Amino acid sequence: MKCNKIFCAALLAAVFAGMVGCSGGENYSIEDKEWKFSTLQNTSDGKVLYCSEELSRNWPEAEILDMNCAATDGTITIVSGEREWSGTYEKYGAEAVGTSLYRADFEGVEAFLTVGATEYADGTRTETLIVSGGEYTLHFIASPDIQ
């Protein structure tokens, strides 16, 4: 039993160290950025239904969609063409190093927002916003990308 506790503690420490390493020790904010759309996925099966034009070769079966998101002073707005969705948000839970969590309400639909950095195999990093609520998960990147 003692061995399992030590193993679990070591595993948690390794995961935490990995999160700090990937984030550069920073916490990221949702505010005062323009977020550029990447993908929209169905939460039930993970299928990418829509993607940005830049990512269309990665998901040829997905429809191309142009969408942006901005958040300031507790209000979040997502715009695609002439359609607009607005909601409110607030910090949610304790922050982990490298991520910021928010809870949002889009006209009665609850969503959770996660902001952090995605690091790629080539060493580049992109500040990322994930919006999860209802049947869909949307991914955005900060514009311009961070390096």
Side-chain angles (χ1 to χ4, degrees):
M1 188 63 116
K2 185 175 182 179
C3 185
N4 283 342
K5 288 181 181 178
I6 293 171
F7 176 76
C8 289
L11 181 62
L12 287 173
V15 169
F16 182 72
M19 287 172 52
V20 172
C22 290
S23 71
E26 301 174 45
N27 281 340
Y28 297 97
S29 172
I30 193 172
E31 296 193 344
D32 302 323
K33 297 176 182 74
E34 181 177 345
W35 295 97
K36 187 173 170 27
F37 175 71
S38 294
T39 61
L40 182 148
Q41 293 177 262
N42 184 323
T43 55
S44 64
D45 62 9
K47 182 179 179 183
V48 174
L49 304 174
Y50 297 91
C51 67
S52 65
E53 186 171 354
E54 295 84 6
L55 297 175
S56 62
R57 67 181 172 161
N58 296 338
W59 291 283
E61 70 286 350
E63 292 186 45
I64 294 174
L65 184 64
D66 185 30
M67 184 182 291
N68 291 299
C69 177
T72 304
D73 297 328
T75 300
I76 183 168
T77 305
I78 299 174
V79 177
S80 178
E82 293 183 18
R83 296 200 60 188
E84 182 175 303
W85 299 268
S86 290
T88 58
Y89 67 90
E90 62 185 8
K91 284 276 195 179
Y92 178 72
E95 285 192 11
V97 174
T99 60
S100 296
L101 306 173
Y102 302 86
R103 180 182 296 174
D105 182 282
F106 288 93
E107 301 171 8
V109 176
E110 185 177 60
F112 292 93
L113 316 173
T114 306
V115 180
T118 301
E119 186 167 342
Y120 300 96
D122 65 1
T124 59
R125 293 181 343 155
T126 302
E127 194 166 353
T128 306
L129 165 64
I130 301 170
V131 179
S132 298
E135 300 175 25
Y136 305 104
T137 299
L138 293 91
H139 297 254
F140 294 89
I141 59 170
S143 182
D145 299 348
I146 61 171
Q147 297 298 320

